[in-house]
Amino acid sequence: MIRSDYLIIGSGIAGLSLALKVAQKAKVSLITKKKLFDSSTDKAQGGIACVIDKSDSFEKHIQDTLVSGAGLCDKDKVTKLVQESPDRLNELISLGVEFTKKENNPNEFDLGLEGGHSQRRILHAGDVTGNEIENVLIKNILKNKSITVFENYTAIDLIVNENNICCGAYVFANEKNYIEIFQAKIIALACGGASKTYLYTSNPDVSTGDGIAMAYRAGTDVANMEFVQFHPTCLYNKNAKSFLISEAVRGEGAILRLKDGSQFMDKYSPQKELAPRDIVARAIDKELKTRRQDCVYLDITSKSKSFLMKRFPNIYIKCLDYGIDMAKDMIPVIPAAHFFCGGVKIDEHGRTNIKNLYALGETSCSGIHGANRLASNSLLEGIVYADRVYKDSLRLLNGKYYDLQNLPNKYKTSKNNSLVYMQEWEEIRRASWNYLSITRSNEKLIKAKKRISILKSEINTFFKHSPVTVENIELRNIACIADLIVNSALQRKESRGLHYNVDYPEMLPVAKDIVLNESVK
Ligand code: SIN
């Protein structure tokens, strides 16, 4: 058994920022499924939204977030997030994060523009913002003596006692092939999102909804799981797994075109390419389906090669690897699953409804994103909630460790475990893609419900009887996530933000969260 004051699960911006704060006062175990870098944060291109420019205001950032969230954001929480953002950004900068400055004025940040923003306000580090942030946070983590990092450790389930207090987690040591118990006074889930539940995604392989699934099995409320954000522009190329063409490219003037070169976004929104993401992704989906085409194209040939190489060095090189010179060629793109606006329901401090258990970042549903997250608000949410959780949880550090002596031995391990359930893995992801994507209908949701329920129950049975592997842990989790999406989607009898059901095309007058709990069926 490994005992520490704090157990943090996940190594994206939320988990790493929280670990650094908490380490000032406590001993921290930080566990991550692969290497520290393996997170969605590391892949984030766009940046962090923050009010900096003199012509900008908190009110405008708040308003853009609320409009994007289609009536479901919690205004009070959005207001606090936006007001706290400059302080949190300054903390990142003091740790060493370098955001790109203006070429003609090195004292000012170069601010990017993305869909749904009425103003340039995205701080970025070229087009590899997340990687810059991860680099700096990881460097600081590795020199901190109060933090012990456990790479290649996959959390399986939370340990919650009869008084509804979280006391730790069962964790699989991937390489050593054994189950370890991590005991802690405070447990924080910062495990990222769940977009690997879908066949096509912009996310890294680790995004299998582990935090949400574990919390749900343990008894937390999980909210708004139907709001899955599809990023409109992922590179369409069978070898370019998960590669995103940042929305910042549209912010710099890229136009979406059909195969024949015609534009189409003016039919869908006066903001055209810079409409909120749900609108752009739905427009592309509609064009592709009506015309039976495989992809649309992003055209940024209006900009010079030197501008593109400077502003988007990573995207430029990656496209060249696939034979596309974005200064001359249109980039083939399709929408893919990108971000979960729903998740473990938390209050303004990051608390869940299980004592001593916090959730933050994409794992959580904080009320910030509503029915559709505004671009570049997610890294911001990660640092703001890391600070909230840190401040709120200090009071628990003087608490006690609960007895874990008589825990049941629930899991098996085996050295010769070669069983991988590829068929089920593929079926869950395909069913989610076919029935739970951008355009839904009652018929699709009912089909999804039938198929996913059968698969989930089979997968849970295998899981009980088979030795633990990372693949089995992840498979059980994506099955749980798919089931949560379909159950939430079936309960939402309207179209709002990212949830569009052709059988209920209108938005209801009153916006409500859909909350699911394992114990209330
Ligand atoms: C992007 O660079 O387009 C992604 C930014 C985000 O998801 O907020």
Side-chain angles (χ1 to χ4, degrees):
M1 178 150 76
I2 294 172
R3 181 186 259 198
S4 48
D5 299 312
Y6 228 104
L7 170 63
I8 298 174
I9 308 178
S11 61
I13 189 169
L16 298 180
S17 305
L18 176 61
L20 283 175
K21 293 203 165 207
V22 167
Q24 300 165 45
K25 311 264 179 192
K27 291 277 176 222
V28 181
S29 294
L30 174 69
I31 67 172
T32 189
K33 242 189 333 188
K34 286 188 171 177
K35 295 283 176 199
L36 279 173
F37 272 102
D38 287 296
S39 65
S40 290
T41 299
D42 187 55
K43 297 264 176 291
Q45 297 179 352
I48 305 195
C50 185
V51 173
I52 293 206
D53 197 80
K54 287 190 194 69
S55 64
D56 200 2
S57 67
F58 286 154
E59 288 67 36
K60 286 189 199 168
H61 187 182
I62 294 164
Q63 192 54 24
D64 292 345
T65 304
L66 300 180
V67 170
S68 190
L72 200 64
C73 301
D74 181 324
K75 187 172 177 192
D76 200 39
K77 289 183 184 151
V78 172
T79 304
K80 287 187 184 144
L81 173 111
V82 167
Q83 288 171 345
E84 277 176 46
S85 58
D87 287 349
R88 301 290 80 82
L89 251 300
N90 283 330
E91 284 171 3
L92 274 188
I93 293 166
S94 7
L95 284 173
V97 174
E98 288 188 24
F99 293 106
T100 303
K101 301 273 180 52
K102 282 187 178 151
E103 209 172 349
N104 56 3
N105 184 356
N107 296 321
E108 282 187 14
F109 291 111
D110 178 57
L111 299 175
L113 179 66
E114 293 181 24
H117 288 273
S118 54
Q119 181 93 28
R120 284 191 175 262
R121 66 165 73 93
I122 320 289
L123 281 116
H124 62 94
D127 59 354
V128 287
T129 313
N131 177 263
E132 165 69 11
I133 294 170
E134 282 281 300
N135 251 318
V136 168
L137 293 176
I138 289 173
K139 262 191 211 142
N140 283 280
I141 292 272
L142 295 179
K143 6 185 236 235
N144 195 311
K145 299 248 172 340
S146 296
I147 303 171
T148 310
V149 172
F150 295 86
E151 290 186 318
N152 296 305
Y153 277 71
T154 308
I156 311 171
D157 277 310
L158 296 168
I159 302 168
V160 178
N161 73 13
E162 59 290 356
N163 298 317
N164 198 35
I165 298 171
C166 188
C167 320
Y170 293 99
V171 177
F172 182 56
N174 311 352
E175 289 178 332
K176 300 175 192 150
N177 200 17
Y178 67 85
I179 311 290
E180 183 68 84
I181 288 170
F182 280 75
Q183 186 185 32
K185 293 176 187 166
I186 304 157
I187 294 88
L189 297 171
C191 315
S195 290
K196 277 295 273 191
T197 308
Y198 288 84
L199 204 52
Y200 304 107
T201 170
S202 63
N203 285 198
D205 288 343
V206 290
S207 300
T208 50
D210 306 340
I212 304 170
M214 279 190 292
Y216 181 70
R217 286 192 293 270
T220 66
D221 287 341
V222 168
N224 295 347
M225 289 295 285
E226 68 280 30
F227 297 120
V228 181
Q229 185 170 73
F230 283 73
H231 194 291
T233 57
C234 288
L235 184 60
Y236 176 69
N237 180 301
K238 65 176 182 335
N239 300 317
K241 191 178 164 204
S242 316
F243 191 70
L244 192 70
I245 308 294
S246 175
E247 193 154 309
V249 178
R250 272 176 283 135
E252 296 301 341
I255 289 171
L256 283 162
R257 296 188 190 279
L258 297 167
K259 205 175 177 175
D260 62 8
S262 56
Q263 294 179 230
F264 56 90
M265 274 313 300
D266 49 349
K267 280 192 289 183
Y268 297 94
S269 164
Q271 291 162 283
K272 300 185 196 168
E273 278 72 9
L274 289 177
R277 235 172 241 180
D278 55 336
I279 297 174
V280 183
R282 210 151 43 239
I284 297 176
D285 189 57
K286 182 150 185 219
E287 293 294 329
L288 294 180
K289 285 191 175 128
T290 12
R291 291 164 199 280
R292 297 182 179 270
Q293 288 177 1
D294 293 330
C295 64
V296 295
Y297 294 84
L298 197 58
D299 180 0
I300 184 79
T301 55
S302 57
K303 292 283 180 199
S304 68
K305 179 170 172 172
S306 59
F307 171 84
L308 293 173
M309 284 176 68
K310 194 154 193 344
R311 177 65 181 88
F312 302 114
N314 181 45
I315 299 175
Y316 190 87
I317 296 288
K318 191 79 177 185
C319 283
L320 267 192
D321 286 349
Y322 295 103
I324 304 156
D325 178 349
M326 61 195 276
K328 292 195 207 128
D329 306 319
M330 297 203 297
I331 310 166
V333 289
I334 45 158
H338 181 62
F339 186 88
F340 273 61
C341 296
V344 182
K345 195 164 168 53
I346 55 168
D347 68 7
E348 70 266 37
H349 306 289
R351 297 178 198 158
T352 69
N353 59 325
I354 294 182
K355 289 181 200 127
N356 301 5
L357 177 68
Y358 290 83
L360 64 163
E362 194 177 346
T363 301
S364 69
C365 180
S366 60
I368 300 293
H369 307 308
N372 175 44
R373 173 178 66 88
L374 181 67
S376 288
N377 263 356
S378 51
L379 295 177
L380 179 60
E381 182 193 36
I383 45 174
V384 166
Y385 276 79
D387 188 64
R388 303 264 180 90
V389 170
Y390 159 65
K391 286 177 179 150
D392 188 74
S393 60
L394 289 178
R395 69 196 159 84
L396 299 170
L397 283 174
N398 294 328
K400 60 174 185 172
Y401 291 103
Y402 291 89
D403 180 20
L404 294 183
Q405 288 316 309
N406 298 318
L407 284 180
N409 191 0
K410 298 208 289 188
Y411 311 99
K412 293 187 210 154
T413 54
S414 156
K415 285 219 163 63
N416 310 317
N417 183 27
S418 57
L419 285 179
V420 179
Y421 300 102
M422 285 312 291
Q423 170 77 18
E424 290 74 13
W425 182 257
E426 159 90 16
E427 277 187 51
I428 289 282
R429 298 184 70 214
R430 198 168 281 284
S432 303
W433 184 259
N434 289 338
Y435 304 129
L436 302 174
S437 284
I438 298 171
T439 305
R440 298 166 180 172
S441 66
N442 287 347
E443 191 192 342
K444 282 185 181 181
L445 293 179
I446 289 162
K447 272 190 185 158
K449 175 75 195 155
K450 277 192 195 142
R451 281 170 170 65
I452 289 166
S453 301
I454 296 170
L455 281 163
K456 184 182 164 202
S457 127
E458 285 175 7
I459 289 165
N460 285 345
T461 309
F462 307 147
F463 188 84
K464 246 188 225 146
H465 301 296
S466 316
V468 173
T469 62
V470 179
E471 291 78 12
N472 294 356
I473 295 170
E474 291 182 335
L475 176 62
R476 180 172 69 138
N477 290 340
I478 64 166
C480 171
I481 298 294
D483 194 49
L484 290 170
I485 301 169
V486 76
N487 290 338
S488 278
L490 279 166
Q491 285 192 36
R492 190 167 289 284
K493 310 269 188 238
E494 62 168 345
S495 288
R496 179 183 297 277
L498 297 158
H499 175 72
Y500 179 67
N501 182 338
V502 294
D503 294 305
Y504 305 109
E506 303 303 325
M507 190 148 91
L508 291 175
V510 181
K512 281 201 185 125
D513 288 336
I514 304 260
V515 181
L516 304 174
N517 189 301
E518 176 82 313
S519 57
V520 188
K521 281 247 166 99

